[in-house]
Amino acid sequence: MTIQIYNTLTRKKETFQPLEAGKVKMYVCGPTVYNYIHIGNARPAIVFDSVRRYLEYRGYEVQFVSNFTDVDDKLIKVAKELESDVPAIAEKFIQAYFADVSALGCKEADVHPRVTENMDEIIEFIDTLVQKGYAYESDGDVYYRTRKFDGYGKLSHQSIDDLKVGARIQVGEKKEDALDFALWKMAKEGEIAWDSPWGKGRPGWHIECSAMAKKYLGDTIDIHAGGQDLAFPHHENEIAQSEALTGEPFANYWMHNGYININNEKMSKSLGNFVLVHDILKKVDPQVLRFFMLSVHYRNPINFNNELLENAGVALERLRTSYQNLKHRLEVSANLVDNDQAWLEKISQHVEKFEKEMDDDFNTADGITVLFDLAKQGNVYLREENTSAKVIKSFLNTFEELFSVLGLKINQDELLDDEVDQLIEQRLEARKNRDFALADQIRDKLKEMNIILEDTRQGTRWKRG
Ligand SMILES: [Zn+2]
């Protein structure tokens, strides 16, 4: 088994070879938590969750880290506008993020590090860069000396002289060179700040990912991922910071997902077409949104509008109907039928085909096409005079398994184990807050889904009814 990954660094598909056999260290840049996430943030969340799920399906143990930027200019601005403070705004939108992406079927990362909880590591990282001559203090700010790093531009395939043309020193910046970027920013009056060797301030944006990837995953990681818009300058700067510090390659594979357009236009606040996931999910089944995102190859641009979303809903329903039809036939099927072997082989060929597509740079779009072929075969099988339970079960299991690789549910009513655990936790939290109405509501919801709770001294146990 070999998985091919398109590596932005080399602009080629490469055979995936992790640093350590059977293990994958993966880092995905997370959101700045000053608002609900928009549809553009949902794409990397869904895409790289599917990459993670597929690697796990292929037997890898994936260590998955995704950060929260919980202090920056935007957070400071919003906190001021709402007469709140930065930690309260961050906490609110971190919880909102979890609610949105878990509805979209994304698993939690092993670690979701936050800038404010890793300040010591960030300061130490910057300090080492200063000692090595890759960074310098200037009047309370610290900047990275971009020209000193030889490989600058290698990810975005630009030469430093091309970059030089467009670079300007902004008013208030105290840099040696227009290409230098901030690692530490001196605090303005009244702003949230941390003590550092350079006085009170806070980190620039790029340094957090270098410091947190190093802390949680080590000097070199296997896969670093994010939206295409992050490749330059964010990821370029991460490479410069990390490789200057360790002298080792920072990430072996760089993966970037394509842009999302709204009705063939770029999404922007000024065009008034800014779509928040929080709002879409009030009207749209999150599974449909996920299916829609995965129906296009992750590196291609994706166009979003209501009609396309509706089409995705109809397509998903077709697969589910095929599954339900097979399920209904299960009870009236014989144990064994003569042509079982031929059908079982046909089904396993579809699994192989699905794997082949996914091995080829996680081609979920063609993987979904294989699922439609499987549904077609299922429909053909149901026209047989005698059907066997063995074959039907194989169809059902295959659908369930391949759907779950994509983070999708073929059986709409089914709750996954981690969803049950989450609901139980929410119920416990509600009881702690003496919100018994909510706690009962959750219990009833679980009961409807055939999940039976048992409160014991050791905690709440559950089983499927
Ligand atoms: Zn990052």
Side-chain angles (χ1 to χ4, degrees), residues 47-62:
V47 159
F48 297 118
D49 176 72
S50 304
V51 168
R52 172 197 194 176
R53 283 173 185 269
Y54 187 67
L55 290 166
E56 286 172 347
Y57 169 80
R58 278 304 210 180
Y60 290 103
E61 190 186 308
V62 182

Side-chain angles (χ1 to χ4, degrees), residues 446-463:
L446 285 164
K447 204 174 156 195
E448 258 171 57
M449 302 289 191
N450 243 345
I451 306 289
I452 295 157
L453 300 187
E454 191 192 341
D455 292 313
T456 72
R457 270 174 207 223
Q458 287 77 36
T460 304
R461 288 200 208 125
W462 65 273
K463 61 173 190 234

Side-chain angles (χ1 to χ4, degrees), residues 18 25 46-47 76-77 94 102 109 116 137 224 250 326 338 367 385-386 418 459:
K25 293 168 189 279
I46 291 169
V47 159
I76 291 172
K77 189 166 163 257
I94 285 173
S102 81
T116 59
E137 197 237 312
H224 194 310
F250 178 37
L326 286 158
D338 282 349
E385 212 168 308
N386 297 311
D418 41 343

Side-chain angles (χ1 to χ4, degrees), residues 38 40 56 59 147 157 195 219 237 267 300 336 390 422 459-460:
H38 57 72
E56 286 172 347
R147 278 185 180 280
H157 305 275
D195 287 321
D219 288 355
N237 291 352
M267 182 170 56
N300 291 341
L336 293 170
K390 200 170 173 191
Q422 254 170 31
T460 304

Side-chain angles (χ1 to χ4, degrees), residues 27-30 67 69 205-210 212 224-226 230 234-235 238 250 254:
Y27 186 96
V28 181
C29 292
N67 63 306
T69 305
W205 171 37
H206 313 295
I207 193 69
E208 65 186 73
C209 291
S210 285
M212 298 197 273
H224 194 310
L230 296 183
H234 183 56
H235 289 160
E238 284 187 33
F250 178 37
W254 284 88

Side-chain angles (χ1 to χ4, degrees), residues 5-25:
I5 299 183
Y6 181 88
N7 190 350
T8 309
L9 198 59
T10 56
R11 285 178 163 168
K12 276 196 304 232
K13 274 188 206 167
E14 295 173 12
T15 300
F16 178 56
Q17 273 176 316
L19 290 156
E20 200 183 323
K23 296 200 170 153
V24 182
K25 293 168 189 279

Side-chain angles (χ1 to χ4, degrees), residues 274-335:
F274 216 72
V275 184
L276 298 177
V277 173
H278 183 71
D279 294 329
I280 304 175
L281 294 188
K282 288 178 191 157
K283 292 172 276 183
V284 175
D285 176 358
Q287 287 273 301
V288 170
L289 184 56
R290 184 172 179 117
F291 183 81
F292 167 77
M293 291 279 192
L294 295 178
S295 64
V296 173
H297 191 282
Y298 79 87
R299 281 193 287 120
N300 291 341
I302 190 169
N303 187 36
F304 177 90
N305 65 33
N306 287 338
E307 197 190 332
L308 291 170
L309 205 57
E310 269 169 38
N311 292 347
V314 171
L316 178 59
E317 204 45 49
R318 256 172 58 208
L319 292 173
R320 285 177 170 164
T321 305
S322 173
Y323 172 88
Q324 287 303 338
N325 290 344
L326 286 158
K327 207 170 181 181
H328 286 141
R329 183 67 69 85
L330 190 58
E331 287 136 46
V332 293
S333 292
N335 273 337

